[in-house]
Amino acid sequence: MNRIIWALCTALCLVNGCTKQNDYIIDDNKNGQVKIKFDHIVGGKKLTLNDYLYSNNSGETFRINLLKYYISNIKLYKPSGEAFIIPKEESFFLVDLSDPSTLQPIVEVPTGDYIRLDFNLGVDSLTNTLPIEQRTGVLDVSKYGMYWEWNSGYIHFKLEGTSEQASNANQSFKYHIGLFGGYSTPTVNNNRKVSIDLSRAGTSKVQENLSSDIHLMVDIGKIFDGPNVITIQSTPIVMTSGPHSAIADNYASMFTHDHTHNFQKIASHEK
């Protein structure tokens, strides 16, 4: 009897389209919400500031006290290859692990399927050279501690912590990675493009008045154990000297797509 009831319910669902996915509507004239959720880890362990003792592949142990980085120039790609580019003025976010409200940037995009997410980690050269009065919100150079007054440029990525292996007096490490190509004198450019394939763990299906939540895992352990090996003992302080471009290559490798939750209700404070 239970099998008969299940079969009837299944048939009714197929006829009536009882799931939200069956009611899925694509209309380029309507927008929906995409929320990019950053979940920070070190290896397989949740990242908690000022608390847990982590380790890297070089056998060093460390605690993390501060983590901030800029996300910008967001693009979402449809299966056809067509890209929707978030308007630039709406596409700058400062992720700050000490502030939970910054860990889930929200953008509006036309309804439809999206199979790839691209963004820039850092602040691009054009924005770095805009008149100061045009840099508002998270780009305000007088706030957030993410701008080098002495070197006229944004800090793309900032990581600070303590480690017994640090070779300085207070056993601390600081990685402040900036440089955007130079204003009047050429420098290296430590902006990095991140491209996330959404097709394997769940494409983003954007619907009007609903949210598609893309969950990304951000492994800060990759700063030490990414394509380039970085040891705290040999380089506890990296700013405009030291292996800053190697660290930039490493932070480009931090992001993996874990899953996507589609058709989520939008909280009133997000509207």
Side-chain angles (χ1 to χ4, degrees):
M1 179 62 71
N2 287 338
R3 289 184 178 178
I4 294 173
I5 293 173
W6 179 86
L8 288 172
C9 289
T10 301
L12 286 171
C13 282
L14 290 172
V15 171
N16 296 324
C18 65
T19 66
K20 287 181 178 178
Q21 189 166 355
N22 287 339
D23 296 333
Y24 187 41
I25 298 172
I26 297 176
D27 184 344
D28 288 339
N29 295 315
K30 295 181 178 179
N31 288 342
Q33 175 177 289
V34 169
K35 181 188 295 184
I36 308 170
K37 304 181 78 169
F38 295 100
D39 293 325
H40 296 86
I41 58 174
V42 177
K45 299 172 182 176
K46 180 180 179 181
L47 174 52
T48 305
L49 294 179
N50 308 306
D51 187 10
Y52 199 86
L53 190 66
Y54 303 97
S55 62
N56 59 30
N57 289 346
S58 299
E60 300 173 320
T61 56
F62 57 92
R63 287 183 172 85
I64 293 176
N65 304 327
L66 181 148
L67 172 65
K68 295 181 180 180
Y69 54 91
Y70 278 106
I71 296 297
S72 60
N73 300 3
I74 299 170
K75 302 178 184 178
L76 283 151
Y77 288 81
K78 295 182 178 181
S80 65
E82 178 186 359
F84 178 76
I85 302 172
I86 306 300
K88 192 163 185 177
E89 64 274 12
E90 301 171 11
S91 195
F92 287 94
F93 298 93
L94 177 59
V95 176
D96 179 354
L97 190 56
S98 69
D99 182 356
S101 69
T102 69
L103 306 182
Q104 300 181 8
I106 293 172
V107 294
E108 279 199 356
V109 301
T111 61
D113 280 348
Y114 296 91
I115 62 169
R116 194 176 105 205
L117 167 68
D118 286 2
F119 56 83
N120 177 59
L121 198 157
V123 178
D124 62 87
S125 57
L126 180 60
T127 303
N128 264 282
T129 56
L130 286 174
I132 292 294
E133 61 272 14
Q134 293 184 25
R135 306 188 213 173
T136 58
V138 298
L139 295 174
D140 190 327
V141 300
S142 65
K143 301 179 180 178
Y144 310 112
M146 293 294 283
Y147 190 77
W148 282 327
E149 293 284 353
W150 53 273
N151 200 40
S152 297
Y154 288 95
I155 302 169
H156 309 309
F157 176 89
K158 180 181 281 192
L159 179 70
E160 297 182 1
T162 58
S163 171
E164 291 185 357
Q165 285 73 42
S167 54
N168 51 26
N170 58 1
Q171 295 188 312
S172 66
F173 64 90
K174 295 181 180 181
Y175 300 148
H176 297 184
I177 312 302
L179 302 179
F180 60 90
Y183 185 75
S184 55
T185 302
T187 69
V188 300
N189 188 343
N190 285 326
N191 280 275
R192 290 294 183 270
K193 178 184 175 182
V194 178
S195 187
I196 305 292
D197 180 2
L198 303 177
S199 62
R200 294 184 179 181
T203 59
S204 177
K205 298 180 181 296
V206 180
Q207 282 287 272
E208 187 180 23
N209 299 321
L210 292 171
S211 181
S212 176
D213 298 353
I214 300 172
H215 292 246
L216 302 181
M217 306 304 292
V218 188
D219 187 356
I220 302 303
K222 294 292 187 181
I223 295 301
F224 307 102
D225 303 322
N228 305 296
V229 175
I230 303 295
T231 64
I232 298 170
Q233 184 174 23
S234 62
T235 52
I237 308 295
V238 180
M239 294 188 187
T240 55
S241 61
H244 45 76
S245 290
I247 292 175
D249 290 340
N250 283 359
Y251 60 56
S253 73
M254 298 188 304
F255 303 88
T256 57
H257 180 217
D258 190 68
H259 62 279
T260 300
H261 280 147
N262 290 310
F263 314 117
Q264 300 297 297
K265 290 183 178 180
I266 299 175
S268 57
H269 68 274
E270 295 175 354
K271 295 180 180 178

